[in-house]
Amino acid sequence: MQVSEIDNVKIYNLSAGKSLPDWLTERKKRTLLKKNVDLRRRIELIQEFDMPGVSTSLRVSKDGQYIMATGIYKPRIKCFDVNNLSLKFERCLDSEVVTFEILSEDYTKIVFLQCDRYVEFHVGHGRHFRLRVPHFGRDMKYHRPSCDLIVVGASNEVYRLNLELGQFLAPYVTKATEINCCSVNEEHGLLVFGTESGHVEAWDPRTKSRQGILDCALHCSDAEYRNTSVPSISAVKFNGALQMGVGTSSGHVLLYDIRSSKPLLVKDHMNEIPIKCIEFHKQMDYVYSMDANVVKIWDINTGKQYTNIESSVDFNDLCVIPNTGLSMMAVEDQKMQIYYIPSLGPAPRWCAFLDNLTEEMESSASQTVYDDYKFITKQELESLGLDHLLGTNLLRAYMHGYFVDVRLYKRAKSIADPFAFEEYKKRKIREKIEQERPSRIKVEDNLPKVNRDLASRLMDSDTRKNKQSANLLKDDRFKALFENPDFEVDKGADEYRLLNPVLARLDKNKSKPKVETEDMEIAETVDNDKDSDQELYETSDSSDEDRTWTKEVKKQHKIIRRKKQDEDDEEVESENGEKVYEFSKAPKTANIRSIMQVSKKSLGERLAREGSTIMTGTAGNREMKFSMRNKKKSSENDKKMKKHYEERKQLVRRTGYLTKKRLPKML
């Protein structure tokens, strides 16, 4: 079920969704229903409510128990029983049906006007009789008081076939060249005919004479409507005894009181295409007017639009279930469409469950989607250079970001990154070429191209637990994570370093080379010693992991701080090229204590200590001679460290299984 809201009026499309073909077996249908969510959520109000190609017309019987529809191809009629919500019977015809009328209260008597000038009568068991009219017919109505079948078409004559006598009567001769439509008033039996010249002629069947002519084209041919030709009459419908609706080929609907020659109201569809059907909602005083593109529902007194129904295919016919909010349309498609508007009336008795269903859907909270706005975070706002708009009406704060107008976002995006579209175009072309050009060497690799490490971890963990990770990689919710390059995990980002120190540690361990085979052979000779020492190390594994985790976190914090300091130092430079050092990065000097001790001595004592001499000249001037001191070959600490590393190497060679990572803990 598809829900749309137009002019604050909710419209439920009951025919939306996928349909299963008839040739599938019941087992195949059940498996498809289990797999496909859309098929499970669809509502099939009436079974097999469709046509092989196109549906042309729809009618409801007088008792409201049967719905009949005609369509092609092959030309056929379908009768649906609303008590069972299923198809009652289906009959194929010789030619396409232009229109049809239900003569009885139920489906037992039907008459069809066909495109090859035939008028065909059907009864309960099938076709009863068929005959031809002199000209091609366009519309047909049944006059119940006189039992006359009225047929109009491509001539100025109105053919009358009396069903009680079973013979043609003298036709009515009109002033028109062609007649497009006709209608019968159920209250007093007045006949009206819509002509090609834009007139409506009214005839009284009792006197068999014309009672009046309405010039409808005069009221929709003014300069205000900008019609280049005289519009013809395409639809006529009575509302009660005195009111009549007239539809024209220019897309206008005129409401008349039959006692006046001027229209009470003129409604323009603004489409300039013919009006196909007019219906009246008597309880709510609304008018249904339908053209090929839209069904408009508007107020009968003011002409104000209440709502409208649109579709992706053209409409052919409209059928409104009396005293309800349910309407059906014959369209240029296989599935006939059913719409339910709860505000126009309740659901019919045979589908009363629709009221409960719509109430549940209205009570559930619906997600609001803003089509004209784009949600961006603060970082994206700064990258686009729109951070100066904070606090203005152009940005609407919402959760962790802001809503911005799509037009402003696209303009700022094009300025900030003018070559984004070209790069996107090249990337799409590259992807298309890669798809069309398969690799010569086929390597079986189940890992995706994006986030391979994450996929491999998921597959490893699932294999340990005897689960299938392929479903996760193919899931529609997570598929983009392994296909779209925008979702690639950036391991060099600061956030990744802080949130995933253990993963960074694992990556380092994977990059280290494995232990050589020679060490493994030596380790086999000392298995007894390994078993005794292994028990000692297992108790401290958990605490060691915690220590390594904290060390990694601190280390990543230090790396990030250094990066930030380096960036700040590069920015802070004077115009002369002089750099401003921090204390930690200043040129290193001797120990601070030694500097403080030396600074207390005089210059001569310091020079004598460093091995320099002071010579006095004849004029009292002095000169100093310096001798550079040599660096010591090695300090005591260096000797101790070398001795320590030699002892550790010997210990590794003796034991063989102890790793270099655990040696410092043992020492």
Side-chain angles (χ1 to χ4, degrees):
M1 180 187 293
Q2 182 180 0
V3 185
S4 59
E5 188 170 353
I6 302 174
D7 295 333
N8 296 324
V9 178
K10 287 191 175 182
I11 302 172
Y12 296 87
N13 187 0
L14 305 181
S15 58
K18 299 180 180 179
S19 60
L20 292 174
D22 298 333
W23 44 266
L24 289 179
T25 61
E26 292 296 329
R27 184 177 181 182
K28 188 67 175 178
K29 289 181 180 179
R30 286 195 298 268
T31 54
L32 287 176
L33 288 174
K34 290 179 182 179
K35 294 179 180 179
N36 199 326
V37 181
D38 295 334
L39 290 176
R40 291 200 302 268
R41 292 179 178 176
R42 69 191 175 100
I43 294 178
E44 192 175 7
L45 186 63
I46 300 175
Q47 294 182 4
E48 302 181 21
F49 196 68
D50 54 10
M51 285 290 171
V54 174
S55 55
T56 56
S57 55
L58 278 168
R59 298 287 187 273
V60 179
S61 61
K62 291 288 184 180
D63 58 2
Q65 300 298 317
Y66 302 98
I67 299 173
M68 299 184 188
T70 59
I72 55 174
Y73 184 81
K74 300 179 178 180
R76 67 191 64 206
I77 178 174
K78 285 186 176 183
C79 180
F80 302 93
D81 187 356
V82 297
N83 291 326
N84 298 321
L85 296 177
S86 61
L87 180 67
K88 186 173 182 62
F89 67 83
E90 180 181 2
R91 297 174 187 169
C92 290
L93 306 173
D94 294 337
S95 57
E96 183 180 348
V97 176
V98 177
T99 184
F100 72 99
E101 288 292 323
I102 303 174
L103 303 179
S104 61
E105 297 292 328
D106 53 5
Y107 67 92
T108 54
K109 295 179 183 179
I110 316 169
V111 58
F112 299 96
L113 177 62
Q114 298 177 347
C115 63
D116 56 354
R117 293 192 295 145
Y118 272 98
V119 177
E120 192 169 302
F121 295 90
H122 281 236
V123 291
H125 60 81
R127 188 171 72 180
H128 176 69
F129 188 75
R130 66 193 309 237
L131 53 88
R132 297 186 76 176
V133 292
H135 295 87
F136 289 99
R138 296 181 181 177
D139 199 2
M140 178 179 63
K141 287 292 184 292
Y142 179 58
H143 188 260
R144 294 182 182 276
S146 63
C147 295
D148 289 344
L149 184 66
I150 309 298
V151 181
V152 298
S155 69
N156 62 339
E157 295 181 345
V158 178
Y159 303 108
R160 296 188 300 151
L161 177 62
N162 190 276
L163 302 183
E164 185 179 6
L165 300 176
Q167 65 183 17
F168 279 102
L169 301 179
Y172 297 151
V173 180
T174 64
K175 293 183 179 181
T177 56
E178 295 179 357
I179 303 174
N180 294 329
C181 56
C182 62
S183 182
V184 179
N185 194 305
E186 299 293 339
E187 301 290 336
H188 46 68
L190 184 66
L191 297 175
V192 292
F193 309 108
T195 65
E196 188 73 21
S197 59
H199 295 85
V200 174
E201 294 191 13
W203 287 70
D204 189 354
R206 297 171 297 180
T207 61
K208 300 177 180 59
S209 60
R210 184 188 304 108
Q211 300 300 315
I213 298 177
L214 286 175
D215 190 358
C216 300
L218 178 65
H219 301 284
C220 54
S221 300
D222 300 337
E224 180 182 357
Y225 300 109
R226 300 177 183 176
N227 292 325
T228 57
S229 61
V230 177
S232 60
I233 307 301
S234 58
V236 181
K237 183 73 175 180
F238 276 104
N239 180 29
L242 300 177
Q243 200 169 30
M244 179 181 64
V246 179
T248 65
S249 60
S250 59
H252 297 87
V253 180
L254 297 87
L255 294 182
Y256 280 93
D257 189 319
I258 60 175
R259 298 168 294 183
S260 174
S261 61
K262 293 183 179 180
L264 302 175
L265 183 66
V266 178
K267 178 70 175 178
D268 190 3
H269 270 217
M270 302 293 181
N271 291 334
E272 297 183 358
I273 53 178
I275 303 296
K276 290 188 174 183
C277 186
I278 299 175
E279 294 289 342
F280 291 93
H281 196 289
K282 298 180 180 179
Q283 287 74 22
M284 303 285 290
D285 288 335
Y286 286 122
V287 182
Y288 294 77
S289 56
M290 185 192 75
D291 57 24
N293 295 338
V294 66
V295 177
K296 290 194 175 184
I297 306 173
W298 43 281
D299 190 86
I300 196 172
N301 299 315
T302 61
K304 183 179 179 181
Q305 181 171 314
Y306 180 69
T307 186
N308 59 1
I309 301 173
E310 297 181 0
S311 177
S312 58
V313 293
D314 291 345
F315 293 113
N316 288 331
D317 196 11
L318 171 65
C319 177
V320 179
I321 307 299
N323 304 323
T324 65
L326 193 71
S327 57
M328 303 178 181
M329 289 84 170
V331 296
E332 293 284 332
D333 196 8
Q334 295 181 356
K335 294 180 66 176
M336 291 176 282
Q337 297 187 359
I338 306 175
Y339 291 90
Y340 176 51
I341 305 176
S343 58
L344 290 179
R349 179 180 53 84
W350 45 271
C351 59
F353 60 89
L354 287 178
D355 290 329
N356 298 330
L357 187 63
T358 54
E359 287 177 2
E360 291 177 0
M361 294 183 67
E362 289 179 358
S363 61
S364 61
S366 59
Q367 184 179 4
T368 304
V369 179
Y370 301 98
D371 295 332
D372 299 332
Y373 291 89
K374 172 75 174 177
F375 179 79
I376 57 176
T377 60
K378 191 173 182 180
Q379 290 79 7
E380 293 176 350
L381 194 70
E382 293 176 354
S383 63
L384 293 174
L386 299 178
D387 51 350
H388 63 281
L389 298 178
L390 292 173
T392 61
N393 296 329
L394 298 175
L395 296 178
R396 181 64 59 89
Y398 182 75
M399 294 179 68
H400 63 286
Y402 303 91
F403 275 114
V404 63
D405 193 277
V406 173
R407 295 170 295 180
L408 178 61
Y409 172 78
K410 290 181 178 179
R411 186 174 297 178
K413 186 74 174 175
S414 61
I415 295 173
D417 193 1
F419 302 103
F421 178 74
E422 296 295 332
E423 294 177 357
Y424 172 78
K425 187 177 179 181
K426 291 179 181 178
R427 186 170 70 252
K428 285 297 181 181
I429 293 172
R430 196 181 305 112
E431 292 176 359
K432 191 71 175 178
I433 293 173
E434 290 178 357
Q435 291 177 359
E436 295 178 355
R437 183 183 59 192
S439 178
R440 295 182 180 179
I441 302 174
K442 295 183 178 180
V443 181
E444 294 183 358
D445 189 5
N446 296 327
L447 294 178
K449 294 182 180 180
V450 181
N451 291 328
R452 296 176 64 89
D453 295 339
L454 178 60
S456 63
R457 290 196 197 100
L458 291 174
M459 294 178 69
D460 292 340
S461 62
D462 290 342
T463 50
R464 293 172 186 173
K465 298 178 182 179
N466 295 326
K467 294 182 179 180
Q468 294 181 356
S469 62
N471 296 330
L472 183 61
L473 298 178
K474 296 179 180 179
D475 197 337
D476 294 336
R477 297 172 296 175
F478 310 105
K479 192 192 303 182
L481 184 62
F482 303 101
E483 294 180 356
N484 193 347
D486 296 336
F487 294 106
E488 181 75 29
V489 177
D490 187 7
K491 296 184 179 181
D494 297 341
E495 292 82 0
Y496 182 85
R497 289 178 176 274
L498 294 176
L499 295 176
N500 300 279
V502 178
L503 295 177
R505 186 83 176 182
L506 291 173
D507 294 339
K508 290 182 180 179
N509 294 337
K510 289 181 180 179
S511 62
K512 291 182 179 180
K514 295 181 180 180
V515 182
E516 296 180 355
T517 56
E518 296 179 358
D519 296 337
M520 297 300 294
E521 293 176 357
I522 297 172
E524 291 178 358
T525 59
V526 289
D527 288 337
N528 296 328
D529 297 335
K530 178 179 179 180
D531 295 337
S532 61
D533 294 334
Q534 187 71 21
E535 297 177 356
L536 180 63
Y537 299 141
E538 287 178 354
T539 57
S540 61
D541 283 344
S542 60
S543 60
D544 293 342
E545 290 177 358
D546 295 338
R547 291 174 184 172
T548 55
W549 186 83
T550 53
K551 287 181 180 179
E552 281 295 327
V553 173
K554 292 180 180 179
K555 185 177 181 180
Q556 299 300 331
H557 275 286
K558 289 179 181 179
I559 293 172
I560 294 171
R561 287 173 191 161
R562 289 174 184 172
K563 285 184 178 179
K564 292 181 179 179
Q565 289 175 0
D566 294 339
E567 292 176 358
D568 295 338
D569 293 339
E570 291 177 358
E571 294 178 358
V572 181
E573 290 186 1
S574 60
E575 296 180 356
N576 297 329
E578 297 179 355
K579 295 184 179 181
V580 179
Y581 292 98
E582 292 185 1
F583 182 76
S584 60
K585 294 188 177 183
K588 294 184 179 180
T589 59
N591 194 3
I592 297 175
R593 291 184 179 178
S594 62
I595 293 173
M596 294 297 292
Q597 293 176 358
V598 173
S599 62
K600 294 180 180 179
K601 297 181 180 180
S602 62
L603 179 60
E605 293 175 352
R606 281 181 282 174
L607 292 174
R609 183 180 179 184
E610 293 177 1
S612 58
T613 57
I614 301 174
M615 298 177 63
T616 304
T618 55
N621 56 344
R622 295 183 180 184
E623 60 180 8
M624 292 183 293
K625 292 182 179 180
F626 298 93
S627 58
M628 301 299 293
R629 58 184 179 182
N630 297 325
K631 294 182 179 179
K632 295 181 180 180
K633 294 181 180 179
S634 61
S635 61
E636 296 179 358
N637 294 331
D638 295 338
K639 293 179 181 179
K640 291 181 180 180
M641 289 298 294
K642 287 182 179 180
K643 185 178 181 181
H644 172 69
Y645 281 124
E646 290 176 358
E647 292 176 355
R648 194 165 64 175
K649 287 181 181 179
Q650 293 177 1
L651 183 61
V652 171
R653 290 173 182 172
R654 288 199 305 270
T655 57
Y657 70 92
L658 291 175
T659 59
K660 297 180 181 180
K661 196 181 290 184
R662 292 186 176 179
L663 277 173
K665 298 176 186 177
M666 293 291 296
L667 294 174

